[in-house]
Structures are given as C-alpha cells and as structure tokens.
Amino acid sequence: MELLATPTVRLSLYDKGTTIREIALERIKVKAEPEREDLEDPFIIYDLGDVVAKDNQWREMLPNIDTFFAVKSNPDPVFLRLLLGLGRGFDCSSKNEIKMVLDLGVSPDRIIFAHPCKQESHLRFAREKGVRLMTFDTEEELHKVKRVHPDAKLILRVRFDFLKMPIKFGCRESQVRPLLELAKNMGLSVTGVSFYVGSVNTISPQVFVQAIQHSRPIFKAGRELGLEMDLLDIGGGFPGNLHTEEAFEKLAEAVREALEEHFPPSSGVTVIAEPGSFYTRSAGYLVANVMAKRIDRPNKQDETINSTTGSPVWMYYLNVGVHNAFGLDYVDCFLKRPELLRQEEPGEQQLQLKPSCLWGPTCHPKDVIFDKCMMPEMESGDFVMFHDMGCYVKSRVSEFNGFEIPQTCYIAPREIRPILKQVFSAGKNDVSVCGCRF
Ligand SMILES: *Cc1c(COP(=O)(O)O)cnc(C)c1O
C-alpha cells in the first residue's frame, strides 16, 4: 500500500521575456501536432509567478497586515499550497473549505470561519477541528455559537451604511452595542471587528479609510464592556487585475495611514485582511475556441440585438460562457475584450475591428459574454484569450449542456523555481515541483 505518495505539481517553467501569449500559442501548437482530441477544449493557464509577485508586493506595502486568503475566490489546490507555503492563513466559509485547507496541513489557528451565518453541522465541524476564529452578525448566531461552539473567538462583522453593500451580511452600526452586550452577558469571547467593502474593480481608498475610522469606537465600546478586543479584520476587495499595481499602492498607503492614526501599535490591536482576488485574478488566463460563426444581417423589423442600426453583426459562438467559465456577474464587472490568438503575426485584415457579439456555447439565450464589442474578424477554429481570469471562475462553473469546464495548467518563471521548491515542501505532504511540456 502506498501511503506516502509524494504529490507532484507539474508546471511549465518559462524564461524571462516570454509572454503569456507565446505560452498559450505554444500549448495550442503542442496539442495540434499530432492533433489531440482535446485540441479545441478551453483551458486556463495559472501563472504562479504572479501570485508570488503579489505576495511580495503585499509584504512590501502592508508589512504589518497578515493575510487570510479568501478560499472562495479560487480553491485551486496548487494556489492553496502555494499560499500556505508563503505563510498565509485562510478565510473559509463552509465545512468543505475548512476541510480542504486542513487536509493540506494548515493549522486550525490559521483559519477564519468568515461566514456570519453558519450551518450548524459546519460549526460543529469547526469545533471538532479546533477552528475557533469566526465572524458573527446576529443575536441568533450568538445563541447557536453558545450551544455548539462556546469556545469560539468571535469577530463582529459590521456593515457600515457608506459601504453600500447588499443587506445580506453584516450588522448595522446601531446593532453593534446590543450585540456586544449580549455576547458579554452570555460569556462569549468577542475578539474583534470585521468589515468587507465588496469586490468592486476599483475601490476608492476613502472607503477603507472611513471603515477603519468607524471601527475604532467599536473597540472602545467593547472594551468598556470588558471584552478583550484586539483584532481588526479589514476584509478583501483589494484590486487584483493586471496593471493595478499602482491602484493597490495608493490604497495600501491610505490604509497604512488610517491604521497609524486609528490603530497605532499602542492600541494593542492586530490587523489582518482577507484578500481573494488580489492574489489570484491576474494570475489566470482563459483560452477558448471559436466553435462557430454567423454574420447576422438584420432586417429593419427584426428584433435582433442590432435592430436599432440595421447593420450587420459578426456573431461568434465560443466554447466558454456564463455557465462553464464566467458566471453572470463576472461578465458585467470585470471582463475585457479577449485577445485573438493566431500563430502568425497579425495582418492588416486582423487589425480591422468589426461590431461583434460573443456568445457562450449553451442553448441558454442569456449565455452571452459580450453582446456588443469590437473584435477583429475571426473564423471558426480560432482561439481567443481572456485576461484576469484567476478567480471566481473555476470555483463556480457547471457542465450545463455538456460543455467542458476549462482544464488547468500551471506555469511559473524559471527564476522562482527555488522559491517554489521551498514553499511546496512546507505543508503536511511533501510536494515536489517538476517541469513539464504541455
Ligand atoms: C469574498 C470575500 C472576501 C474576498 O474578496 P475579494 O474581493 O476577492 O478580495 C473576503 N472576505 C469576505 C468576508 C468575503 O465574502
């Protein structure tokens, strides 16, 4: 019986100066010679170098804020192992997420159960495994915790009005005091405060500053009640798209200043964060195939997408859509027009943009990626590449209508191989890193 199998991370190491476009084209070429059954199937490239670079940037800009990676943004086992090796903790929302990270060898005290409304069996699981840190935002949850997991260390999740977040989670500021009083009277341990500003593309630093400022009196109130509150959790929402390094720096600077003012070291408060997309969004590249094409030339009376202008639309049917890759809200918020991938250099013809529509593959009429965008003219069989696809993609896809979920392949710049070798052997299971061709 082989109990001590050594899992291996197979990844392609690339040399400095190689572009992701070249890597994607290389993979397509390898699959085409000899032609493989999966030639046209979609795939996601994850660049581990990007995650390491993000972590370095965080350490440089916010050295005093420990991070707990939001697992929901991308529970890919290689990302999780990498972040564990880099010394990061984990923000989990369910029993399965907790189990996933415990199985990698994460210590229970490096996990936050950051779902304020927990299923009771999940809470029981947390108690059995020694996961104590968790959020709450209602009286009902306090009673549940008292019954099921009385040793929990609770973090009050607050939804400040100015955050303009949906009312789903977080107590209102007016509920803060009654909740703290109740927790105190029940003999529960409240250790801190958390907020989440939301996953918007570019969050203004001012929002973070204001939330930090409004958290301060909550600590005062709690301490007056005799609660030992010493943890501020500033949540996620840090920008993770390509080319947002500057936006992150500005945000980090504002956060640092606000913390210096409201939570200086003398306050005795430790600050943590739960970034998800920050670590993973720009690390993912999705490559899809143009399955079919139609040029729609509407009549004036037609109820087609372009009926208002009556001019033709170049419509393409990709093998990725809202069901097997994007999710509905992703399409609205984050997506940029994909890049056409062809082995030869782009010619004159290719530079000419045409009014286009990109459909997903399923028969669902709402399975559309862009109903209006400008694209070079493409042909059936062409490949396109979407950027910023490293989070909230593979964690929520389905095989609706039988279309494949994108395969995953990992790449890393050759120069970080020593770091990878080191971090991948830091977990419970020794993991070796080996190079591979696609
Ligand atoms: C989703 C979520 C995060 C991560 O958000 P990002 O915007 O991906 O950084 C962090 N904290 C909580 C409570 C969340 O729900």
Side-chain angles (χ1 to χ4, degrees):
M1 205 166 43
E2 181 77 15
L3 280 176
L4 286 173
T6 303
T8 300
V9 179
R10 289 170 58 80
L11 54 89
S12 306
L13 296 168
Y14 63 87
D15 293 313
K16 230 188 189 141
T18 313
T19 63
I20 306 290
R21 180 188 174 85
E22 287 163 348
I23 292 169
L25 283 168
E26 171 68 11
R27 180 170 156 96
I28 293 166
K29 202 159 120 194
V30 167
K31 289 210 290 181
E33 306 164 349
E35 190 167 321
R36 277 167 38 177
E37 187 59 30
D38 68 352
L39 168 62
E40 291 122 358
D41 290 349
F43 60 90
I44 288 189
I45 298 173
Y46 285 143
D47 184 359
L48 304 188
D50 200 88
V51 180
V52 172
K54 289 286 180 58
D55 195 56
N56 286 337
Q57 198 191 4
W58 186 285
R59 279 174 208 276
E60 190 185 321
M61 298 302 298
L62 295 168
N64 299 322
I65 303 183
D66 193 4
T67 61
F68 288 69
F69 173 62
V71 174
K72 81 162 186 287
S73 73
N74 193 338
D76 178 272
V78 174
F79 277 178
L80 296 179
R81 280 205 184 94
L82 177 55
L83 286 157
L84 167 64
L86 292 169
R88 296 318 195 170
F90 297 89
D91 153 355
C92 301
S93 297
S94 59
K95 174 179 171 175
N96 281 339
E97 284 189 355
I98 295 174
K99 188 168 181 328
M100 206 184 313
V101 298
L102 286 175
D103 286 349
L104 294 178
V106 174
S107 159
D109 60 7
R110 297 293 293 156
I111 296 174
I112 302 182
F113 194 168
H115 195 309
C117 303
K118 294 168 276 298
Q119 183 174 318
E120 194 161 316
S121 59
H122 296 192
L123 186 56
R124 213 175 304 125
F125 181 77
R127 186 197 62 209
E128 281 159 20
K129 298 296 175 187
V131 174
R132 292 179 67 197
L133 207 53
M134 62 189 64
T135 57
F136 80 103
D137 57 8
T138 60
E139 277 182 29
E140 286 72 11
E141 197 73 1
L142 286 177
H143 290 289
K144 194 195 295 168
V145 169
K146 178 75 183 171
R147 196 159 24 87
V148 179
H149 194 347
D151 292 332
K153 290 164 72 174
L154 295 161
I155 301 173
L156 178 58
R157 166 104 174 248
V158 186
R159 179 173 43 81
F160 301 113
D161 284 340
F162 55 83
L163 295 180
K164 303 205 169 53
M165 287 286 285
I167 59 171
K168 186 165 181 181
F169 295 125
C171 76
R172 296 173 190 277
E173 273 185 282
S174 58
Q175 296 168 302
V176 164
R177 204 169 170 99
L179 282 171
L180 292 178
E181 274 170 7
L182 180 62
K184 175 69 189 168
N185 292 339
M186 290 171 81
L188 291 166
S189 152
V190 178
T191 188
V193 174
S194 81
F195 57 80
Y196 175 49
V197 300
S199 225
V200 188
N201 212 351
T202 43
I203 283 164
S204 120
Q206 197 46 39
V207 172
F208 268 94
V209 169
Q210 217 176 338
I212 290 167
Q213 184 188 351
H214 279 240
S215 299
R216 182 176 174 169
I218 305 178
F219 281 82
K220 187 160 177 280
R223 285 171 172 178
E224 277 168 13
L225 289 167
L227 294 163
E228 285 171 29
M229 290 174 61
D230 58 8
L231 188 70
L232 174 65
D233 176 358
I234 63 172
F238 300 87
N241 297 55
L242 282 172
H243 317 303
T244 47
E245 292 85 353
E246 228 172 282
F248 174 72
E249 280 186 20
K250 281 211 181 92
L251 176 55
E253 219 172 275
V255 165
R256 250 187 359 239
E257 278 171 18
L259 290 173
E260 270 163 32
E261 181 180 347
H262 300 290
F263 294 94
S266 61
S267 69
V269 173
T270 304
V271 184
I272 61 170
E274 303 164 344
S277 25
F278 169 77
Y279 276 116
T280 50
R281 193 181 299 279
S282 60
Y285 298 81
L286 173 66
V287 177
N289 187 256
V290 179
M291 310 195 305
K293 165 181 180 179
R294 168 203 316 262
I295 304 176
D296 185 48
R297 299 176 199 281
N299 302 319
K300 281 272 187 299
Q301 312 90 310
D302 267 2
E303 287 271 319
T304 53
I305 293 173
N306 227 33
S307 58
T308 44
T309 64
S311 47
V313 181
W314 277 256
M315 307 212 297
Y316 303 98
Y317 300 81
L318 305 188
N319 59 356
V320 294
V322 299
H323 297 283
N324 67 342
F326 297 101
L328 282 167
D329 46 347
Y330 202 103
V331 175
D332 296 338
C333 291
F334 298 111
L335 214 53
K336 291 199 194 74
R337 187 175 65 81
E339 170 185 353
L340 176 57
L341 291 177
R342 285 208 183 132
Q343 301 290 349
E344 69 275 13
E345 286 296 307
E348 190 94 336
Q349 189 67 20
Q350 235 176 293
L351 298 172
Q352 243 184 29
L353 301 178
K354 299 265 177 19
S356 309
C357 167
L358 303 183
W359 295 100
T362 69
C363 301
H364 187 183
K366 292 210 169 132
D367 188 5
V368 62
I369 308 166
F370 285 108
D371 57 6
K372 272 191 199 125
C373 67
M374 297 300 283
M375 286 291 295
E377 180 154 8
M378 303 191 285
E379 304 302 332
S380 289
D382 266 328
F383 290 89
V384 291
M385 181 161 78
F386 292 89
H387 299 249
D388 289 325
M389 295 298 287
C391 59
Y392 301 116
V393 175
K394 284 197 77 175
S395 50
R396 55 180 194 185
V397 290
S398 82
E399 285 190 336
F400 173 57
N401 237 185
F403 287 95
E404 311 273 340
I405 288 170
Q407 303 159 350
T408 306
C409 53
Y410 304 96
I411 60 169
R414 197 175 298 284
E415 75 259 21
I416 69 159
R417 190 180 177 146
I419 303 175
L420 295 178
K421 282 192 93 149
Q422 199 187 341
V423 301
F424 276 99
S425 55
K428 185 165 74 178
N429 301 314
D430 196 42
V431 182
S432 60
V433 175
C434 85
C436 69
R437 232 184 143 225
F438 293 115

